[in-house]
Amino acid sequence: GYRCGILNKINVEITIPNPWNGSLTNLNVNEVYLPGVKGFESEDIGGPVYIQTENNGTTTAQALGHITNLFNDNSTGRKYFYYTPIEKVLSAGIIKLSTFQQANAGNTNVTQANSDNINVTMIKNSDRNNSRNLMNSKITDEKSIYVYAGSIIRVGSPNGARCTTNFPVIKPNGIIGILTAGHCAYANIDFNVYIRVKGKFEEIGDIPNMAVGDEDGNDYAFIELYTWIYGDPKACVLKPDRNGILQLVPITSIYSPNLGEYVCGFGAVNSYVCGEIVEINVAVKFWPERGSGPILVSGLNKIKTEKSKFFNKGDSGGPIITSEALAKAHAVGYIVGGIKEFGVAYYMPIEKSLKAMGGYSLIITDSCTS
C-alpha cells in the first residue's frame, strides 16, 4: 500500500543477496524512516518512490527511485526502507525516464530507449501465439512455429550444421531477416537454412551476406527469410522466469556493456547461461566443425560463465543480452565460441556486425504478444 516517510540517510551502503545466483551484492541507497506501525512487505520491493507536490490545484510527482530493501529494528520498533535513486539507474544509459503531463485525457509522452549510434527499427510483431509460456526446460526445435532470437536452425540441409538464431534485422531496402554466426555456414556449398516445424524441417531462407575471418575479423551471416505462413521474425528473446520456464521478452534497444558487467545469453543447445565480461576487444582463433580452419575473429568480448554452465556446439549465433526482469531485453551481441573446460565464452558485439554489413538495422519491439 501507500506509505510516507522521512529521508533519514543518503548514500548508505547495504548488502543484499542476488536472487539469481545467491551471491551478495553491495548497493549504495538512501534510507527512509516510516513513522507509525505500518511498513512495507517484501512484495513491495521494486515499487516507486516519489515526492508529491500541489500547486494551484495541480498535483505533480517527481520520481526519486524504487524500493530496494526493507529493515525493521526490533529493538526500537522502527521501520525503514531503502531505495535506489533513479539517477543511478538512468546513468547506466540503458533506459530513459518516461513522463506524462495531462493536457487532455489520453495524451502521453513515451520515450523509447535506443542507442544513439546504431540504427534500430520499431516493428510491431503480429500476434501469432498469445501464450508466452513456451516450455518447461530447454528449447526444442519441435516447438518452433516462428523465428525469434534463440531458435535452433540447420544450415545447408536438414542435417546440416546446427546453430542458433540471433536478433532480427532489416536491410536498407526493407528486406527482413535474422542474424547468426558466420561460421555456421562455413565451407557449405548450399546456404539454405532450415527450421523444424511440427515434426519436419522446413526451408525458411538462405544466406546472401556473410563474412568469416575476413580482414576485419568478422563472423556474421544474414539469413534472408522467405515469405511464409508464420510471418516475420519476432524481435523477442528467450529468458527463463523464476520457475525456470522460458518466456519471450521484447528486444527494445542496443546496449554496449563495459568490462566487469554481467550479461546473459541463450543457446539452442545449452539454454540460458550468464557470466561476467572479463576481457574486451580480443582476437581468437577458432577451428570450425566443418571446413579447413582455423579462422581468426577479432573484436570479441570474453565472458567467464558461472559455475558449471557453458555454451557448446550448436549455441553459436545465440543472443547475448542484458535485461530488466521479463519486461524488456537489450541486444548486446551473439555467441561465437568458447572453451567448455575453462568456463569461458566469446561473443561478437552487435554494433560491429551491423556496421560491417552496411546500413542494416536492428528490429525492436515493445511487446511479444501484439
Side-chain angles (χ1 to χ4, degrees), residues 3-269:
R3 303 284 185 269
C4 294
I6 301 169
L7 184 60
N8 196 49
K9 296 178 183 178
I10 60 173
N11 201 30
V12 179
E13 185 175 279
I14 62 171
T15 302
I16 62 172
N18 186 316
W20 293 103
N21 56 28
S23 63
L24 297 179
T25 302
N26 293 328
L27 299 175
N28 288 94
V29 295
N30 294 345
E31 180 184 272
V32 177
Y33 164 56
L34 292 172
V37 295
K38 290 186 177 181
F40 285 117
E41 303 293 334
S42 58
E43 291 84 358
D44 297 317
I45 290 177
V49 180
Y50 58 94
I51 57 174
Q52 183 173 301
T53 58
E54 302 279 345
N55 185 18
N56 295 328
T58 300
T59 302
T60 60
Q62 288 79 44
L64 294 181
H66 64 274
I67 302 171
T68 304
N69 201 27
L70 312 174
F71 173 65
N72 294 330
D73 189 338
N74 294 327
S75 62
T76 63
R78 289 191 165 200
K79 295 178 173 60
Y80 302 86
F81 74 88
Y82 300 93
Y83 73 89
T84 300
I86 187 68
E87 295 91 343
K88 289 191 64 177
V89 179
L90 297 178
S91 65
I94 305 174
I95 61 173
K96 297 179 181 179
L97 180 67
S98 296
T99 62
F100 170 74
Q101 182 174 357
Q102 188 170 359
N104 49 62
N107 288 344
T108 58
N109 297 321
V110 179
T111 301
Q112 179 82 34
N114 294 334
S115 167
D116 292 330
N117 301 316
I118 301 295
N119 292 330
V120 295
T121 300
M122 171 69 79
I123 292 184
K124 276 281 193 177
N125 288 312
S126 299
D127 189 7
R128 303 183 187 93
N129 186 344
N130 289 327
S131 173
R132 296 176 66 208
N133 186 346
L134 299 182
M135 60 215 74
N136 292 322
S137 55
K138 293 181 180 178
I139 179 70
T140 59
D141 45 11
E142 289 84 2
K143 298 280 186 176
S144 299
I145 59 170
Y146 46 71
V147 185
Y148 44 81
S151 300
I152 190 168
I153 53 173
R154 296 276 183 173
V155 182
S157 74
N159 297 313
R162 180 174 58 178
C163 280
T164 304
T165 56
N166 191 244
F167 307 112
V169 295
I170 186 168
K171 296 172 67 174
N173 62 4
I175 293 177
I176 291 175
I178 200 159
L179 292 180
T180 192
H183 67 264
C184 294
Y186 189 60
N188 279 351
I189 298 175
D190 185 347
F191 294 125
N192 292 333
V193 178
Y194 301 79
I195 193 168
R196 194 168 185 175
V197 179
K198 296 181 180 179
K200 65 177 183 179
F201 280 99
E202 290 191 19
E203 187 178 336
I204 62 168
D206 58 18
I207 299 174
N209 186 3
M210 63 176 287
V212 183
D214 60 8
E215 62 182 8
D216 295 318
N218 291 303
D219 185 17
Y220 64 78
F222 172 73
I223 305 169
E224 188 171 303
L225 297 173
Y226 304 146
T227 300
W228 66 324
I229 61 173
Y230 301 114
D232 293 332
K234 276 186 172 287
C236 301
V237 64
L238 287 167
K239 180 182 177 181
D241 62 19
R242 292 183 178 182
N243 297 315
I245 300 174
L246 294 173
Q247 310 286 348
L248 282 175
V249 180
I251 302 163
T252 63
S253 68
I254 292 174
Y255 178 58
S256 301
N258 298 310
L259 185 68
E261 289 193 58
Y262 203 70
V263 296
C264 295
F266 189 91
V269 174

